[in-house]
């Protein structure tokens, strides 16, 4: 009797563990088995891709993601595009002499062998310029990256107000302004 009960408890724990594991892996490694990234074998999507929801009437925004390179060769991102934007530029953020953060276009972004390329707020990012239509929070848009060797990555980026897992803004809703 007790053996059966112990087995049932073990099975339950196993199932719970599996459920949690699949939940966690779905968040941590969206490239695995999902359609989040159509990438070369050695390229992983280490952090999910997302596009910042732009303010209304602004036709410019930025896309972020972290790529991993588990291969033996350094890779270089040389261009990007998206069907939702007229132009996509590779950008970096820099502090100028006056201490002001500015962004500027760069010709390429390095994805070193065994390393990663973080595109995140305040750092490297993709600038989506000339949005063809307003974006909606929660929708998924394709972003295509071109590597120097001619291969491409197609990533599904979710339109969000803030970075996944860094959703501090959610706790600071100022709500609707009443005039
Ligand atoms: Cu920019």
């Amino acid at each position: 009797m007790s053996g059966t009960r112990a087995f049932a408890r073990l099975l339950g724990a196993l199932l719970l563990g599996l459920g949690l594991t699949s939940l966690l892996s779905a968040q941590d490694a969206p490239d695995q088995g999902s359609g989040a990234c159509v990438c070369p074998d050695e390229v992983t999507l280490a952090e999910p891709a997302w596009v910042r929801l732009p303010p209304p009437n602004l036709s410019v925004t930025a896309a972020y993601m972290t790529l991993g390179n588990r291969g033996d060769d350094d890779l270089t991102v040389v261009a990007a595009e998206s069907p939702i934007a007229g132009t996509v530029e590779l950008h970096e953020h820099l502090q100028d002499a006056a201490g002001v953060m500015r962004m500027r276009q760069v010709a390429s972004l390095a994805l070193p062998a065994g390393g990663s390329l973080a595109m995140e707020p305040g750092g490297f990012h993709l600038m989506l310029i000339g949005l063809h239509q307003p974006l909606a929070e929660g929708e998924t848009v394709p972003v295509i990256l071109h590597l120097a060797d001619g291969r491409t990555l197609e990533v599904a980026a979710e339109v969000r107000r803030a970075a996944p897992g860094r959703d501090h803004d959610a706790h600071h809703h100022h709500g609707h302004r009443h005039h």
Side-chain angles (χ1 to χ4, degrees), residues 113-131:
S116 63
L117 164 59
M119 289 177 258
E120 56 196 4
F124 296 124
H125 57 278
L126 305 174
M127 208 74 203
L128 281 61
I129 299 164
L131 298 176

Side-chain angles (χ1 to χ4, degrees), residues 17 39 42-43 64 77-78 81 87 93 106 130 163:
C39 291
E42 76 271 35
V43 177
Y64 310 96
V77 176
V78 294
E81 62 181 301
T87 308
H93 259 106
V106 294

Side-chain angles (χ1 to χ4, degrees), residues 60-62 89-93 103-104 125-128:
V60 173
T61 190
E89 294 181 355
L90 314 178
H91 274 203
E92 68 177 346
H93 259 106
M103 59 185 182
R104 70 170 190 190
H125 57 278
L126 305 174
M127 208 74 203
L128 281 61

